[in-house]
Amino acid sequence: VSIHGNQFLHNSKFANFSSFLKHFWLKFFLRFATSVRLVSKHQVDYVQRAYKVDANRISISPIPISIPSHFRINKPPKFTIGFVGRLHEERGLDLWVQIVSSYFLVNKDFRVIVIGDGPDRQYFEHALRINCPGIELHFLGRIPNKDIESLWSEITLLLSTAKEESFGISLREAEMSGTRVIAFANSGTFLNKELFPEGIVLFEDLRSAFDALGQEHSKNQILSMSIQ
């Protein structure tokens, strides 16, 4: 059995009916699994406690990620906030809209690029356009993983509001491609910060996310002037 997401977490398994089913599916089938594959070490303790899985049956196999051909400092023509991933409830879409719309009230000098698709795409796009009237918004839809590397240069900052991260593949690819990351503090992003201490800023609420976004925008403006 392979587990990529964090649907087994106690604080999320009853968040919706889908998570409820995943939890009980895992609770039943993990009793018979001879091997359980996880993608990050921080998942081990959760799986052992929630499903009584013996440590000898657990292996950690990280998801392969794309290593950029060269490192760079991203400098799109305009400060660009990016969303990369599946557009569904577990990615914290409401909080993403709240952060961006709050910042839009005080600084409109940025654009948004969304890479991904999912059941909540229409809601997400509508919420952004309603709360950020006139914002420069680009929905690129679902892009194959092999083609995303070429798009990182268009994104100054990746904003991640998922309550839980397992491996966080988009975060790691962003950091290695020169894109800054602001992410909700959780077990997966704490691990990411250990690996990329200078590449990611963690936040715990709307206010700290707003402050981090403003600081990153200011630093980018200074950097842009020094490069010119």
Side-chain angles (χ1 to χ4, degrees):
V1 176
S2 294
I3 300 176
H4 288 196
N6 281 352
Q7 61 268 21
F8 47 82
L9 292 179
H10 289 290
N11 63 356
S12 67
K13 67 188 179 187
F14 297 116
N16 54 52
F17 186 65
S18 176
S19 295
F20 179 83
L21 291 178
K22 290 175 184 177
H23 165 66
F24 280 98
W25 185 92
L26 288 172
K27 197 171 185 65
F28 178 77
F29 282 100
L30 288 184
R31 292 185 299 170
F32 306 101
T34 57
S35 174
V36 178
R37 175 184 174 271
L38 307 177
V39 296
S40 185
K41 66 180 182 180
H42 77 272
Q43 296 175 295
V44 174
D45 182 57
Y46 291 116
V47 170
Q48 286 183 296
R49 286 191 290 108
Y51 301 110
K52 314 301 181 186
V53 177
D54 190 277
N56 294 327
R57 291 191 286 145
I58 296 176
S59 63
I60 300 175
S61 302
I63 301 170
I65 62 176
S66 175
I67 306 295
S69 55
H70 63 281
F71 291 90
R72 58 184 174 267
I73 298 175
N74 289 347
K75 185 179 172 293
K78 192 173 190 178
F79 186 79
T80 304
I81 303 171
F83 177 100
V84 177
R86 182 164 168 76
L87 294 168
H88 62 157
E89 182 182 4
E90 293 176 8
R91 302 308 301 173
L93 302 183
D94 286 333
L95 180 56
W96 206 97
V97 172
Q98 288 176 356
I99 295 169
V100 172
S101 59
S102 296
Y103 191 66
F104 188 77
L105 290 175
V106 299
N107 190 334
K108 295 177 172 55
D109 187 26
F110 68 91
R111 64 177 181 166
V112 169
I113 288 180
V114 179
I115 300 175
D117 206 343
D120 291 333
R121 170 175 174 161
Q122 185 175 359
Y123 159 76
F124 190 51
E125 182 172 5
H126 178 72
L128 283 172
R129 295 197 185 280
I130 289 295
N131 289 281
C132 307
I135 191 172
E136 184 179 347
L137 178 60
H138 303 274
F139 267 80
L140 304 186
R142 185 178 181 277
I143 305 292
N145 289 338
K146 63 182 179 63
D147 296 329
I148 291 180
E149 180 186 339
S150 63
L151 295 172
W152 284 121
S153 61
E154 297 296 318
I155 299 174
T156 318
L157 182 143
L158 178 68
L159 176 61
S160 174
T161 50
K163 293 293 183 172
E164 293 294 339
E165 286 282 358
S166 50
F167 186 72
I169 183 170
S170 61
L171 275 60
R172 301 188 187 207
E173 290 185 342
E175 290 157 335
M176 291 191 298
S177 299
T179 295
R180 297 283 293 168
V181 175
I182 294 178
F184 185 80
N186 56 55
S187 55
T189 54
F190 278 126
L191 178 60
N192 180 284
K193 192 166 181 63
E194 291 178 10
L195 299 173
F196 302 94
E198 303 301 322
I200 184 171
V201 178
L202 303 183
F203 69 89
E204 296 182 349
D205 52 30
L206 175 60
R207 182 68 207 185
S208 57
F210 176 91
D211 291 342
L213 186 54
Q215 291 168 8
E216 290 297 325
H217 197 170
S218 296
K219 287 192 291 187
N220 181 262
Q221 288 174 325
I222 294 172
L223 179 61
S224 297
M225 289 187 291
S226 67
I227 293 176
Q228 289 177 350

